[in-house]
Amino acid sequence: QVQLAESGGGLVQPGGSLKLSCAASGHTFSAYTMAWFRQPPGKEREFVAAFKRGDSREYYSDSVRGRFTLSRDRAKNTMFLQMNSLKPEDTAVYYCAFDRGIITSTLRLPQQYDYWGQGTQVTVSS
């Protein structure tokens, strides 16, 4: 069983930065695809970024590529999302999600992930 806990959300002005953390327990990092999703108010959950199991690449949605950066600390079982140049449209609840069985074609589908954190609110507003 995997437990995930996000932190680092908050209120930031447009153009500002935040760094989210996802602390994981009960698993080996390398055994899972690790992803960030977000759910804007009144909208469906959408893919943000991911480390795919067995793949050295980082995957990003078009809307965040070049502004957001994934990283991880294997010793601490923690994944991070550095968010720069934030825009009001980045306002959402951000979730981390893990799964063992993700393939490239399903990487961006939230329904494919078995383990989720509770979410952390990010609000970008002046």
Side-chain angles (χ1 to χ4, degrees):
Q1 187 71 15
V2 176
Q3 293 84 43
L4 304 174
E6 304 94 338
S7 61
L11 173 64
V12 63
Q13 293 187 342
S17 299
L18 282 175
K19 187 173 184 177
L20 305 184
S21 301
C22 173
S25 61
H27 84 298
T28 302
F29 244 24
S30 60
Y32 290 81
T33 289
M34 304 179 293
W36 288 97
F37 287 82
R38 66 186 182 185
Q39 189 161 14
K43 297 184 179 180
E44 295 185 351
R45 198 165 295 189
E46 63 186 29
F47 173 80
V48 175
F51 291 112
K52 180 176 168 293
R53 174 188 177 187
D55 188 335
S56 61
R57 290 181 296 173
E58 300 165 15
Y59 293 81
Y60 296 94
S61 69
D62 290 344
S63 61
V64 308
R65 186 176 292 110
R67 301 187 297 122
F68 291 11
T69 305
L70 282 171
S71 62
R72 51 190 162 182
D73 184 333
R74 296 179 187 274
K76 296 182 179 180
N77 271 1
T78 302
M79 177 176 65
F80 303 97
L81 184 69
Q82 177 67 47
M83 306 186 296
N84 297 330
S85 302
L86 283 162
K87 304 175 182 180
E89 51 263 43
D90 294 317
T91 295
V93 178
Y94 283 71
Y95 299 90
C96 60
F98 282 23
D99 198 88
R100 285 180 176 269
I102 299 297
I103 58 176
T104 303
S105 62
T106 63
L107 186 72
R108 291 169 171 80
L109 302 178
Q111 61 267 32
Q112 297 297 319
Y113 289 77
D114 285 339
Y115 302 104
W116 292 85
Q118 81 287 352
T120 186
Q121 176 71 45
V122 172
T123 302
V124 184
S125 175
S126 54

